Amino acid sequence: MKFSFHLVIPLVFVGKQILRNAKVLGPVSGIHEELLNTTVIAMHHNPSCRIQLPKDDRLYLGLKQRYLLFQILILAGKSFSFEILVTDTSKVERRLIFTTNTKVLVTTLRHARIPITSLQRNVWLNLSIDVQGFFIYCFKNVTSCSMDGIQISAHCKLGRLFTICLLYTS
């Protein structure tokens, strides 16, 4: 059995153009992280900090990959959330909102608020989200088509953000 991976990196961290593809709201800075030996995004100064992809609200990412991966450090004792805008096959936009501010799963017709309860804090994580799996679980009988937006809220350090599709080949 062979597995091949297809990587797409929608957010690129390079020198001074750290956030060239993202809309930045609030004070966000690029700092050198010794442990990773690379530049990371620090969003820990203000609770209103947000990074939104894509930069233009009228555009869509159009990512078809199943998994979204974060290289992230979530600060202890602080709230954290991120949301993924997913368009289904009927062209209806729905949001998966992952947050530390809720204890139970809450779903409506177009939103799902998913609790983040057991992530380690103050350590670098490779956080993998099965977007299609969460979408099917939260919105029964609806098929996802593409990831069209990503928003990350304050109190974290973000190293990398990318999508991956696990393909089975014989």
Side-chain angles (χ1 to χ4, degrees), residues 12-13 77 89 91 97 115 127 138:
V12 180
F13 300 101
T89 52
K91 305 292 185 222
I97 303 165
L127 176 61
C138 294

Side-chain angles (χ1 to χ4, degrees), residues 10 17 25 41 45 61 63 65 68 71 74 86 90 99 121 132 139 141 150 152:
Q17 294 189 340
L25 304 165
I41 308 286
H45 302 295
L61 293 175
L63 301 171
Q65 291 76 18
L68 180 64
Q71 185 179 39
I74 302 168
V86 182
S90 302
T99 180
R121 304 282 188 124
Q132 287 182 0
F139 306 110
N141 302 320
I150 301 166
I152 304 162

Side-chain angles (χ1 to χ4, degrees), residues 9 38-39 49 93 113 139:
I9 305 176
T38 190
T39 301
C49 290
E93 293 178 350
R113 203 167 53 237
F139 306 110

Side-chain angles (χ1 to χ4, degrees), residues 9-12 17-23 51-56 61:
I9 305 176
L11 189 58
V12 180
Q17 294 189 340
I18 291 171
L19 299 169
R20 70 175 181 201
N21 298 325
K23 180 178 184 179
I51 296 175
Q52 175 184 314
L53 286 167
K55 186 179 221 170
D56 189 340
L61 293 175

Side-chain angles (χ1 to χ4, degrees), residues 99-114:
T99 180
T100 56
N101 296 332
T102 188
K103 301 266 189 245
V104 295
L105 175 69
V106 178
T107 59
T108 64
L109 188 59
R110 293 191 179 208
H111 297 84
R113 203 167 53 237
I114 303 158

Side-chain angles (χ1 to χ4, degrees), residues 7 38 42 61 95 143 146:
L7 290 174
T38 190
L61 293 175
R95 295 186 184 279
T143 306
S146 64

Side-chain angles (χ1 to χ4, degrees), residues 127-162:
L127 176 61
S128 174
I129 305 295
D130 180 356
V131 176
Q132 287 182 0
F134 273 106
F135 191 85
I136 291 167
Y137 182 80
C138 294
F139 306 110
K140 311 284 190 247
N141 302 320
V142 179
T143 306
S144 67
C145 181
S146 64
M147 269 188 285
D148 289 325
I150 301 166
Q151 183 172 293
I152 304 162
S153 295
H155 303 306
C156 70
K157 291 182 183 178
L158 181 63
R160 299 188 192 280
L161 173 62
F162 57 94

Side-chain angles (χ1 to χ4, degrees), residues 8-36:
V8 175
I9 305 176
L11 189 58
V12 180
F13 300 101
V14 181
K16 292 183 180 181
Q17 294 189 340
I18 291 171
L19 299 169
R20 70 175 181 201
N21 298 325
K23 180 178 184 179
V24 178
L25 304 165
V28 173
S29 59
I31 60 170
H32 182 75
E33 180 65 40
E34 292 289 328
L35 188 62
L36 301 179

